[in-house]
Amino acid sequence: MADKIQNAYETSKNIYDDVLTQRNIFSKLYIKLFWSGTAVFTENKWSSLKTAHMNSTIVEYIEGIEVIKAFGRAGTSYEKYAKAILDYKKFVVKWLSSTWITMKMTFALFPSTLLGTLPVGLYLTMHGLLTISQLVLAVMLSMSMVTSFAKIEVFSENLREMQYNIESIQDFLTMKELPEPSVYANINSYDVKLENVHFSYTGEEKDEVLHGIDLTIPAGSFTALVGPSGGGKSTVARLISRFWDVTSGSITIGGVNIKEIPLSQLSEMVSFVTQDNFLFRCSIMENIRLGNPAASDEEVKEAARKACCQEFIEKLPQGYDTPAGEAGKQLSGGEKQRIAIARMMLKNAPIVILDEATAFTDPENENKIQKSIEELTKGKTLLVIAHRLSTIRDADLILVMKDGDIIEQGRHEELLAAGGFYANLYNSQFEDVVA
C-alpha cells in the first residue's frame, strides 16, 4: 500500500512537471479560446486548493506521528494521508486529461500557419503584389509569431495566478481589526469590572459562551476563577486582555472601558501566563527578556531564579544563550511554563492573569513558584484560573463558573460552609483531608 501511494504521488508529480511547460505554451492558449478567463482562474484556484490540502495533510501526519502511534491510530491516519495524495493524483490526471486532446490539436495546428501563409504569399507574389523579400519576411513572421503569442498567454496566465495569490493575501489584510484610540487613557487605579458581559466566538446568540457575567476585581486583590472545563474561565481572562471584544456588556479597568485604552497601553498593564506557553526562536535569555526588553542580563537571571528556572537553564549546552528551538526539544512542559512565569515576573505589570500557570510544574517547584508569585503580586490585581484548589484557598474572592455563568462566589471557608458545587469539588480533591 505504501509503495502504491508513493508511486502515485511521484507519478502525478512527474506528469504535472513534464507537461506543465508544454501546457503553458500551447494548451493554455487553446483554453483561452474556448473558456472564459474566469474559468481558467477558477481552475488555477482549485488546483492551488488541492495542493494546499495535500501539503497540510502530509504535514499534519508527520507532526502528529507520536500521538498517532500512542493511540494506535496509525491505520486510520495513514488512510487519510493516502487519500489526500490519491485525490491529488486523480485531480492532476483529470485536469490534464481535459486538455490533452486539445493540446495535441494545438501542437498540430500552430505549425499550420505556414501552410496558410506560404500559398497566399506565393499567389500575391505571382501577381506582383509582394516582392520576394516581403514573402520571405511574411513566412518568417508567421513562424515566429506563434512563440510570441504563446509567451503573451503564459504572461496573462501568470497574472491570473498572481490575482489568486493577491486575493488569498487580501483575506488576511482585510480581516476586521479591533478599534483602538490613538491617545493613551488616564488610568488611576487597576480594579477590573465586568458588567453584563455576553460573548460568542461567532457573534451568534445561539453560540454564546458567556451569559451576562458581572464581576468586580478590586485593585490589589487576589481573585480566583474555578469550575469545570468549558465553563468560560479562560474566555473571561482573554476578554480582560482584549484578545476579542465582548458581544455585549462592558469591561473596565480603573473605570475606563478597555475599548478606549490603546492595545499597547493595555498590554503594558496586563501580564498573562497561560498553561500552553510558546518559546520564540531566540535564546532563552531573550525569551525571558520579552517581558521587559530594557531589562539587564542580571535582571533576567533574577527573574529566572524566582521562577525556579536557573537550575535547568544552566544545564543546557549554552546556558541562557541556548536557542529556544534547540532547548525546546530538551525542556519539559513544566520547564517551559516556568520560563513563561519568569517572563511575567520580569514584566512586573500591575494586573496579573494566571491561567493554570503552574499546571505542569512538579510539586516541589510549585511551592517555590507560588511563594515567588505571592511575593511578586503583592499590591497587584491578581486573577488566577485554577483546577487545583489548594493553590487558591487564600484568595480574597473565589468565583465558581459553570456553563458560562457564575454560580457561586465567596471566600474559601464560606463556600465550603455553603456545601454547594465548590464544596463538592474541593472534597473530591481532598477526600483524605476533609471528613
Short mmCIF file of all heavy atoms in Angstrom, two decimals, residues 115-155:
data_model
loop_
_atom_site.label_atom_id
_atom_site.label_comp_id
_atom_site.label_asym_id
_atom_site.label_seq_id
_atom_site.Cartn_x
_atom_site.Cartn_y
_atom_site.Cartn_z
N LEU A 115 1.31 26.80 -43.59
CA LEU A 115 0.53 26.26 -44.71
C LEU A 115 -0.44 27.30 -45.26
O LEU A 115 -0.82 27.27 -46.43
CB LEU A 115 -0.24 25.02 -44.27
CG LEU A 115 0.62 23.84 -43.79
CD1 LEU A 115 -0.27 22.68 -43.33
CD2 LEU A 115 1.56 23.38 -44.90
N GLY A 116 -0.86 28.22 -44.39
CA GLY A 116 -1.75 29.28 -44.86
C GLY A 116 -0.99 30.45 -45.45
O GLY A 116 -1.37 31.01 -46.48
N THR A 117 0.10 30.81 -44.80
CA THR A 117 0.86 31.98 -45.22
C THR A 117 1.59 31.75 -46.55
O THR A 117 1.60 32.63 -47.43
CB THR A 117 1.90 32.36 -44.14
OG1 THR A 117 1.23 32.55 -42.90
CG2 THR A 117 2.65 33.63 -44.52
N LEU A 118 2.19 30.58 -46.70
CA LEU A 118 3.02 30.32 -47.90
C LEU A 118 2.20 30.32 -49.19
O LEU A 118 2.58 31.02 -50.15
CB LEU A 118 3.76 29.00 -47.71
CG LEU A 118 4.79 28.66 -48.80
CD1 LEU A 118 5.85 29.75 -48.86
CD2 LEU A 118 5.44 27.31 -48.52
N PRO A 119 1.06 29.59 -49.30
CA PRO A 119 0.30 29.62 -50.56
C PRO A 119 -0.22 31.03 -50.89
O PRO A 119 -0.13 31.48 -52.05
CB PRO A 119 -0.87 28.66 -50.29
CG PRO A 119 -0.39 27.77 -49.20
CD PRO A 119 0.50 28.62 -48.36
N VAL A 120 -0.75 31.71 -49.87
CA VAL A 120 -1.28 33.05 -50.11
C VAL A 120 -0.15 33.99 -50.54
O VAL A 120 -0.29 34.82 -51.45
CB VAL A 120 -2.00 33.59 -48.86
CG1 VAL A 120 -2.41 35.05 -49.05
CG2 VAL A 120 -3.24 32.75 -48.55
N GLY A 121 1.00 33.85 -49.85
CA GLY A 121 2.15 34.70 -50.19
C GLY A 121 2.63 34.46 -51.60
O GLY A 121 2.98 35.41 -52.33
N LEU A 122 2.70 33.18 -52.03
CA LEU A 122 3.13 32.86 -53.39
C LEU A 122 2.15 33.42 -54.42
O LEU A 122 2.56 33.94 -55.48
CB LEU A 122 3.24 31.33 -53.54
CG LEU A 122 4.42 30.66 -52.82
CD1 LEU A 122 4.30 29.14 -52.89
CD2 LEU A 122 5.75 31.13 -53.42
N TYR A 123 0.87 33.32 -54.09
CA TYR A 123 -0.16 33.85 -55.02
C TYR A 123 0.02 35.35 -55.20
O TYR A 123 0.00 35.87 -56.33
CB TYR A 123 -1.55 33.53 -54.45
CG TYR A 123 -2.67 34.14 -55.25
CD1 TYR A 123 -3.13 33.53 -56.43
CD2 TYR A 123 -3.26 35.35 -54.85
CE1 TYR A 123 -4.15 34.10 -57.18
CE2 TYR A 123 -4.28 35.92 -55.58
CZ TYR A 123 -4.73 35.29 -56.76
OH TYR A 123 -5.73 35.88 -57.48
N LEU A 124 0.20 36.07 -54.06
CA LEU A 124 0.37 37.53 -54.13
C LEU A 124 1.66 37.91 -54.83
O LEU A 124 1.73 38.91 -55.56
CB LEU A 124 0.34 38.12 -52.72
CG LEU A 124 -0.99 38.00 -51.97
CD1 LEU A 124 -0.84 38.50 -50.53
CD2 LEU A 124 -2.09 38.80 -52.69
N THR A 125 2.70 37.11 -54.65
CA THR A 125 3.99 37.39 -55.31
C THR A 125 3.89 37.18 -56.81
O THR A 125 4.43 37.98 -57.61
CB THR A 125 5.07 36.47 -54.72
OG1 THR A 125 5.15 36.67 -53.31
CG2 THR A 125 6.44 36.79 -55.35
N MET A 126 3.17 36.11 -57.23
CA MET A 126 3.00 35.81 -58.66
C MET A 126 2.22 36.92 -59.37
O MET A 126 2.41 37.18 -60.55
CB MET A 126 2.28 34.47 -58.84
CG MET A 126 3.16 33.26 -58.45
SD MET A 126 2.23 31.72 -58.45
CE MET A 126 1.71 31.64 -60.17
N HIS A 127 1.35 37.60 -58.61
CA HIS A 127 0.55 38.67 -59.22
C HIS A 127 1.18 40.04 -58.98
O HIS A 127 0.55 41.08 -59.20
CB HIS A 127 -0.87 38.66 -58.67
CG HIS A 127 -1.69 37.51 -59.18
ND1 HIS A 127 -1.55 36.21 -58.73
CD2 HIS A 127 -2.64 37.46 -60.17
CE1 HIS A 127 -2.40 35.42 -59.36
NE2 HIS A 127 -3.08 36.15 -60.26
N GLY A 128 2.42 40.05 -58.48
CA GLY A 128 3.16 41.28 -58.33
C GLY A 128 2.77 42.14 -57.15
O GLY A 128 3.18 43.31 -57.07
N LEU A 129 2.00 41.57 -56.27
CA LEU A 129 1.56 42.36 -55.10
C LEU A 129 2.57 42.29 -53.96
O LEU A 129 2.50 43.08 -53.02
CB LEU A 129 0.19 41.86 -54.62
CG LEU A 129 -0.95 42.01 -55.64
CD1 LEU A 129 -2.23 41.39 -55.11
CD2 LEU A 129 -1.17 43.49 -55.96
N LEU A 130 3.45 41.31 -53.98
CA LEU A 130 4.50 41.16 -52.97
C LEU A 130 5.83 40.90 -53.66
O LEU A 130 5.87 40.23 -54.71
CB LEU A 130 4.20 40.00 -52.02
CG LEU A 130 3.16 40.18 -50.92
CD1 LEU A 130 3.03 38.88 -50.13
CD2 LEU A 130 3.53 41.32 -49.98
N THR A 131 6.88 41.41 -53.07
CA THR A 131 8.22 41.08 -53.56
C THR A 131 8.68 39.80 -52.87
O THR A 131 8.08 39.35 -51.88
CB THR A 131 9.21 42.22 -53.25
OG1 THR A 131 9.33 42.34 -51.83
CG2 THR A 131 8.73 43.55 -53.85
N ILE A 132 9.77 39.23 -53.39
CA ILE A 132 10.31 38.01 -52.81
C ILE A 132 10.73 38.26 -51.36
O ILE A 132 10.48 37.45 -50.45
CB ILE A 132 11.51 37.50 -53.62
CG1 ILE A 132 11.07 37.07 -55.02
CG2 ILE A 132 12.18 36.31 -52.90
CD1 ILE A 132 10.10 35.91 -55.04
N SER A 133 11.37 39.39 -51.13
CA SER A 133 11.83 39.69 -49.77
C SER A 133 10.66 39.84 -48.81
O SER A 133 10.72 39.42 -47.65
CB SER A 133 12.69 40.97 -49.77
OG SER A 133 11.93 42.07 -50.25
N GLN A 134 9.56 40.43 -49.32
CA GLN A 134 8.36 40.57 -48.47
C GLN A 134 7.74 39.21 -48.18
O GLN A 134 7.23 38.97 -47.08
CB GLN A 134 7.34 41.49 -49.16
CG GLN A 134 7.76 42.95 -49.20
CD GLN A 134 6.82 43.80 -50.02
OE1 GLN A 134 6.22 43.33 -51.01
NE2 GLN A 134 6.69 45.08 -49.65
N LEU A 135 7.77 38.31 -49.16
CA LEU A 135 7.24 36.97 -48.96
C LEU A 135 8.05 36.24 -47.89
O LEU A 135 7.49 35.59 -47.00
CB LEU A 135 7.28 36.19 -50.28
CG LEU A 135 6.93 34.69 -50.17
CD1 LEU A 135 5.49 34.52 -49.69
CD2 LEU A 135 7.15 34.00 -51.51
N VAL A 136 9.38 36.33 -47.99
CA VAL A 136 10.23 35.66 -47.01
C VAL A 136 9.97 36.21 -45.61
O VAL A 136 9.89 35.47 -44.62
CB VAL A 136 11.72 35.84 -47.38
CG1 VAL A 136 12.63 35.31 -46.26
CG2 VAL A 136 12.03 35.12 -48.69
N LEU A 137 9.83 37.54 -45.51
CA LEU A 137 9.56 38.17 -44.22
C LEU A 137 8.22 37.69 -43.65
O LEU A 137 8.11 37.39 -42.45
CB LEU A 137 9.56 39.69 -44.38
CG LEU A 137 9.28 40.49 -43.10
CD1 LEU A 137 10.36 40.21 -42.05
CD2 LEU A 137 9.21 41.99 -43.41
N ALA A 138 7.20 37.59 -44.52
CA ALA A 138 5.88 37.14 -44.06
C ALA A 138 5.93 35.71 -43.54
O ALA A 138 5.32 35.36 -42.52
CB ALA A 138 4.87 37.26 -45.21
N VAL A 139 6.68 34.84 -44.25
CA VAL A 139 6.80 33.45 -43.82
C VAL A 139 7.53 33.37 -42.47
O VAL A 139 7.13 32.62 -41.57
CB VAL A 139 7.55 32.63 -44.88
CG1 VAL A 139 7.88 31.24 -44.36
CG2 VAL A 139 6.71 32.52 -46.15
N MET A 140 8.60 34.16 -42.34
CA MET A 140 9.35 34.16 -41.08
C MET A 140 8.49 34.64 -39.91
O MET A 140 8.51 34.07 -38.82
CB MET A 140 10.60 35.04 -41.21
CG MET A 140 11.64 34.46 -42.17
SD MET A 140 13.03 35.60 -42.41
CE MET A 140 13.68 35.67 -40.76
N LEU A 141 7.72 35.69 -40.17
CA LEU A 141 6.84 36.22 -39.11
C LEU A 141 5.76 35.22 -38.73
O LEU A 141 5.40 35.07 -37.56
CB LEU A 141 6.20 37.53 -39.57
CG LEU A 141 7.11 38.76 -39.64
CD1 LEU A 141 6.38 39.95 -40.25
CD2 LEU A 141 7.60 39.12 -38.23
N SER A 142 5.22 34.52 -39.75
CA SER A 142 4.17 33.55 -39.44
C SER A 142 4.68 32.42 -38.56
O SER A 142 3.94 31.85 -37.76
CB SER A 142 3.59 32.98 -40.74
OG SER A 142 4.56 32.17 -41.39
N MET A 143 5.96 32.09 -38.72
CA MET A 143 6.54 31.02 -37.92
C MET A 143 6.92 31.49 -36.52
O MET A 143 6.81 30.75 -35.54
CB MET A 143 7.78 30.45 -38.62
CG MET A 143 7.46 29.78 -39.97
SD MET A 143 8.94 29.24 -40.84
CE MET A 143 9.55 27.98 -39.74
N SER A 144 7.36 32.75 -36.41
CA SER A 144 7.83 33.24 -35.10
C SER A 144 6.72 33.79 -34.23
O SER A 144 6.85 33.83 -33.01
CB SER A 144 8.89 34.33 -35.31
OG SER A 144 8.32 35.44 -36.00
N MET A 145 5.62 34.23 -34.85
CA MET A 145 4.56 34.86 -34.06
C MET A 145 3.89 33.86 -33.10
O MET A 145 3.33 34.25 -32.08
CB MET A 145 3.50 35.48 -34.97
CG MET A 145 2.72 34.49 -35.81
SD MET A 145 1.64 35.28 -37.01
CE MET A 145 0.52 36.17 -35.95
N VAL A 146 3.96 32.56 -33.45
CA VAL A 146 3.35 31.55 -32.59
C VAL A 146 3.97 31.60 -31.19
O VAL A 146 3.28 31.63 -30.17
CB VAL A 146 3.51 30.15 -33.19
CG1 VAL A 146 3.02 29.09 -32.21
CG2 VAL A 146 2.76 30.06 -34.50
N THR A 147 5.31 31.62 -31.17
CA THR A 147 6.01 31.66 -29.89
C THR A 147 5.69 32.95 -29.13
O THR A 147 5.50 32.93 -27.91
CB THR A 147 7.52 31.55 -30.12
OG1 THR A 147 7.80 30.35 -30.84
CG2 THR A 147 8.27 31.52 -28.79
N SER A 148 5.61 34.05 -29.86
CA SER A 148 5.31 35.33 -29.22
C SER A 148 3.93 35.33 -28.59
O SER A 148 3.75 35.77 -27.45
CB SER A 148 5.42 36.47 -30.24
OG SER A 148 6.72 36.54 -30.77
N PHE A 149 2.94 34.83 -29.35
CA PHE A 149 1.58 34.77 -28.79
C PHE A 149 1.53 33.82 -27.59
O PHE A 149 0.81 34.07 -26.62
CB PHE A 149 0.59 34.30 -29.85
CG PHE A 149 0.18 35.39 -30.80
CD1 PHE A 149 0.16 35.17 -32.17
CD2 PHE A 149 -0.19 36.65 -30.32
CE1 PHE A 149 -0.22 36.18 -33.04
CE2 PHE A 149 -0.56 37.65 -31.20
CZ PHE A 149 -0.57 37.43 -32.56
N ALA A 150 2.29 32.73 -27.68
CA ALA A 150 2.30 31.78 -26.56
C ALA A 150 2.88 32.42 -25.31
O ALA A 150 2.40 32.22 -24.20
CB ALA A 150 3.11 30.55 -26.94
N LYS A 151 3.94 33.25 -25.50
CA LYS A 151 4.53 33.93 -24.35
C LYS A 151 3.57 34.93 -23.73
O LYS A 151 3.52 35.10 -22.51
CB LYS A 151 5.83 34.63 -24.78
CG LYS A 151 6.97 33.67 -25.05
CD LYS A 151 8.24 34.42 -25.44
CE LYS A 151 9.39 33.44 -25.66
NZ LYS A 151 10.63 34.13 -26.09
N ILE A 152 2.82 35.58 -24.61
CA ILE A 152 1.80 36.53 -24.10
C ILE A 152 0.77 35.78 -23.26
O ILE A 152 0.36 36.23 -22.19
CB ILE A 152 1.11 37.27 -25.27
CG1 ILE A 152 2.11 38.20 -25.95
CG2 ILE A 152 -0.11 38.04 -24.77
CD1 ILE A 152 1.57 38.86 -27.20
N GLU A 153 0.38 34.60 -23.72
CA GLU A 153 -0.61 33.81 -22.98
C GLU A 153 -0.04 33.34 -21.64
O GLU A 153 -0.72 33.37 -20.61
CB GLU A 153 -1.04 32.61 -23.81
CG GLU A 153 -1.91 31.59 -23.07
CD GLU A 153 -3.13 32.22 -22.44
OE1 GLU A 153 -3.58 33.29 -22.90
OE2 GLU A 153 -3.64 31.65 -21.46
N VAL A 154 1.23 32.91 -21.66
CA VAL A 154 1.85 32.49 -20.41
C VAL A 154 1.88 33.65 -19.42
O VAL A 154 1.60 33.49 -18.23
CB VAL A 154 3.29 31.97 -20.67
CG1 VAL A 154 4.03 31.75 -19.35
CG2 VAL A 154 3.25 30.68 -21.47
N PHE A 155 2.21 34.84 -19.94
CA PHE A 155 2.26 36.02 -19.06
C PHE A 155 0.87 36.33 -18.50
O PHE A 155 0.73 36.62 -17.31
CB PHE A 155 2.78 37.22 -19.86
CG PHE A 155 2.80 38.50 -19.07
CD1 PHE A 155 3.69 38.68 -18.02
CD2 PHE A 155 1.90 39.52 -19.36
CE1 PHE A 155 3.71 39.85 -17.29
CE2 PHE A 155 1.90 40.70 -18.64
CZ PHE A 155 2.80 40.87 -17.59
#
